[in-house]
Amino acid sequence: MAVTLAIDCMGGDHGPGVTVPAALAFARRFPESRIILVGLEDRIRPLLSGVDIDSGRIAVHHATQVVAMDESPALALKNKKDSSMRVAANLVKSGEADACISAGNTGALMAISRFVLKMLPGIDRPAICTVLPTTKGHVHVLDLGANVDCEAEHLLQFGIMGAMLVAAVEHKERPSIGLLNIGEEEIKGNEVVKQAAELLRDSGLNFIGNVEGDGVYQGEAEVVVCDGFVGNVALKISEGLAQMLASFLKQEFSRSPLTKLAALVALPVLKRFKNRVDHRRYNGASLLGLRGVVVKSHGSADAFAFGCAIERAFEAAREGVLERIASQVAAYQAQRAPSLNDSNNSPAQETA
Amino acid sequence: MAVTLAIDCMGGDHGPGVTVPAALAFARRFPESRIILVGLEDRIRPLLSGVDIDSGRIAVHHATQVVAMDESPALALKNKKDSSMRVAANLVKSGEADACISAGNTGALMAISRFVLKMLPGIDRPAICTVLPTTKGHVHVLDLGANVDCEAEHLLQFGIMGAMLVAAVEHKERPSIGLLNIGEEEIKGNEVVKQAAELLRDSGLNFIGNVEGDGVYQGEAEVVVCDGFVGNVALKISEGLAQMLASFLKQEFSRSPLTKLAALVALPVLKRFKNRVDHRRYNGASLLGLRGVVVKSHGSADAFAFGCAIERAFEAAREGVLERIASQVAAYQAQRAPSLNDSNNSPAQETA
């Protein structure tokens, strides 16, 4: 079955010069994909001349406006009804596309997606979920900044959404879920986290308990749940640390002719190391909880990184992530409903 | 003027085998220091035989109990009144020592210090402050886990304490203070953070605004303030990431005889890099807000790292951090008091 992807070609620091070649390369790699390139037609068309892909698989959908990277989400929502971002979301809403991808303004993409697509039943708030490398492989972490104040129930919903994303795209039926906390003991953390742990424990998910900051990169869980403030700080502090370490390593290898020679000898090893932790491979954050697959690429993504984000959207749509989340939420609610009447079902009453 | 340091010799993963040699090495390096070694005398004395330091500068203070690394802080507080940790704090309380240092159980050290020493006037809660490397030098970050739920006023107090610590030990009169947030814009973040930003802006401190996670390691501020939950996650996620990157680098250099040869050539460079980010140099977290200087060493510290923690306590005591915090809090309160009566002093009223 073909999967159709609506691509906001205008978003990101580089716009069509990166998004269009990335989309075309993706289309070549995945013959079961169809691509709708959304944005200013006169910017997109010239990039398609001489392209060797079946024209039935590549369409251009003109959109007259562009959401700026620093534009207020509220104003973008109000004033940019024909922006490439909004039109891409509309195509998902109408069913013409199965997923949309944008490297644009995160706040605007969140606001527009939520307004256009609405939330899945039983999910109160969308969450941003990304993949990070670990010593054992990788981990999905959510939320990364959509929600700055979360209640326990929201963290539970993030757990359900993260688990279903991993179940779908990695074919793991019961991925392990950890709750980001400041100690592994149950008594640690703030009230919201303690309540969330209780909800997760009773949720039927494969909840393994608290995970501390260092446990995230040690791969203690396949999904790590946290509120958006903490998650955003954790993600950005990781980016900052990785950049600092890389710059220190570079400085040390450029210190003298001798160290430069050492760098030359070590180059193949350093390259392998760099590839292994290449953040471009982890590009593409899923906006979960919406009635549609939406993936946000990093604004600075190059064509390789943007292609990874497209692939994430493609897989989520193909593997039915939305249906999985919806059915897991429904199952959870059905399981919880009778427990509200526990007193009627308790053995004590039955024997009475 | 001599500075006397009470050292909990029993704390940490290694106990006297590490703490005593570290203390002796410190005493040799800093002739103006006096050291009181606190703990089980029969464990400490044998390590002093043949020591060439003026015996007037090294004392042993017997304490019969030891707080275990995994002991509940409440039980340690209640049952371990003659623990090395408690006795070290008592020596600060009585004025026999100017500061104490422990590599023991953090929760117990916090509970005992708070009980024994009490809080400085105008400070509601203690905070844990540590130093992290940045691309520009280093940064002091607090709180790192003493407080899981903070109000805006607490974050302001952390700002005052961090600023005064840096002012004292680094002789910088107005260090820059950043507030850890998920965006640099004023509108970002949760309510507590927004209110804290207002308080910090009016505090008379050199407040530079919000700092994002990546800005911490970019050295955007000299002091970064956050609540203990966020700070603890940020610290531990950094540890986890650094460990993961180090292990990947090691793996890549050990992959084959050829890469091992490259490692040999690159060894001096890799060593310099490692020294530069050596977390042992940053060992020693200050427990700020107490009526006494208390420094917590990492439990796994070796003698070099434990020596760094001793040095931090020594400098904080010598440079009068407590007095600086107390006078800055008093100045802040005096500045704020009239503003409560602003309506009486406003020009409009004066002309009326």
Side-chain angles (χ1 to χ4, degrees), chain A residues 148-149 182 190 212 214 217-218 232 236-238 241 243 245 248 251-252 255 272-273 276, chain B residues 148-149 182 190 212 214 217-218 236-238 241 243 245 248 251-252 255 272-273 276-277:
Chain A
V148 293
D149 280 303
I182 64 169
N190 56 32
E212 290 192 76
D214 48 348
Y217 287 108
Q218 282 157 17
N232 190 278
K236 289 196 177 153
I237 209 142
S238 296
L241 177 59
Q243 278 166 16
L245 294 177
F248 284 178
Q251 281 171 20
E252 292 306 333
R255 197 173 278 279
R272 276 191 73 113
F273 169 69
R276 193 158 166 189
Chain B
V148 293
D149 279 303
I182 63 169
N190 56 32
E212 291 191 77
D214 48 348
Y217 286 108
Q218 282 157 16
K236 289 197 177 152
I237 208 143
S238 296
L241 177 58
Q243 279 166 16
L245 295 177
F248 284 177
Q251 282 171 19
E252 292 305 333
R255 197 173 279 278
R272 276 192 72 111
F273 168 69
R276 192 157 167 189
V277 290

Side-chain angles (χ1 to χ4, degrees), chain A residues 132-136 145 148-149 180-183 188-191 193 212-218 228-230 232-249 251-253 255 258-259 261-263 265-266 269-270 272-273 276-277, chain B residues 132-136 145 148-149 180-183 188-191 193 212-218 228-230 232-249 251-253 255 258-259 261-263 265-266 269-270 272-273 276-277:
Chain A
L132 295 174
T134 72
T135 51
K136 293 182 189 158
V148 293
D149 280 303
L180 190 57
N181 203 338
I182 64 169
K188 291 275 181 132
N190 56 32
E191 277 315 306
V193 167
E212 290 192 76
D214 48 348
V216 174
Y217 287 108
Q218 282 157 17
F229 193 98
V230 172
N232 190 278
V233 167
L235 181 72
K236 289 196 177 153
I237 209 142
S238 296
E239 288 175 5
L241 177 59
Q243 278 166 16
M244 183 184 79
L245 294 177
S247 77
F248 284 178
L249 199 57
Q251 281 171 20
E252 292 306 333
F253 272 116
R255 197 173 278 279
L258 212 63
T259 62
L261 194 67
V265 174
V269 184
L270 295 173
R272 276 191 73 113
F273 169 69
R276 193 158 166 189
V277 290
Chain B
L132 296 175
T134 72
T135 50
K136 293 182 188 159
V148 293
D149 279 303
L180 190 57
N181 203 337
I182 63 169
K188 291 275 181 134
N190 56 32
E191 277 314 307
V193 167
E212 291 191 77
D214 48 348
V216 174
Y217 286 108
Q218 282 157 16
F229 192 99
V230 172
N232 189 279
V233 167
L235 182 72
K236 289 197 177 152
I237 208 143
S238 296
E239 288 175 5
L241 177 58
Q243 279 166 16
M244 182 183 79
L245 295 177
S247 77
F248 284 177
L249 199 57
Q251 282 171 19
E252 292 305 333
F253 271 116
R255 197 173 279 278
L258 212 63
T259 62
L261 193 67
V265 174
V269 184
L270 294 173
R272 276 192 72 111
F273 168 69
R276 192 157 167 189
V277 290

Side-chain angles (χ1 to χ4, degrees), chain B residues 17-41:
Chain B
V18 155
T19 56
V20 174
L24 296 175
F26 181 84
R28 277 186 208 101
R29 279 173 58 217
F30 291 87
E32 68 276 37
S33 65
R34 287 187 66 248
I35 305 282
I36 308 176
L37 301 166
V38 184
L40 296 168
E41 201 160 0

Side-chain angles (χ1 to χ4, degrees), chain A residues 139-142 158-159 162-163 166 175-179 211 221-225:
Chain A
V139 57
H140 284 72
V141 184
L142 73 167
F158 299 168
V166 173
S176 54
I177 317 289
L179 182 63
V211 169
E222 290 166 297
V223 176
V224 170
V225 170

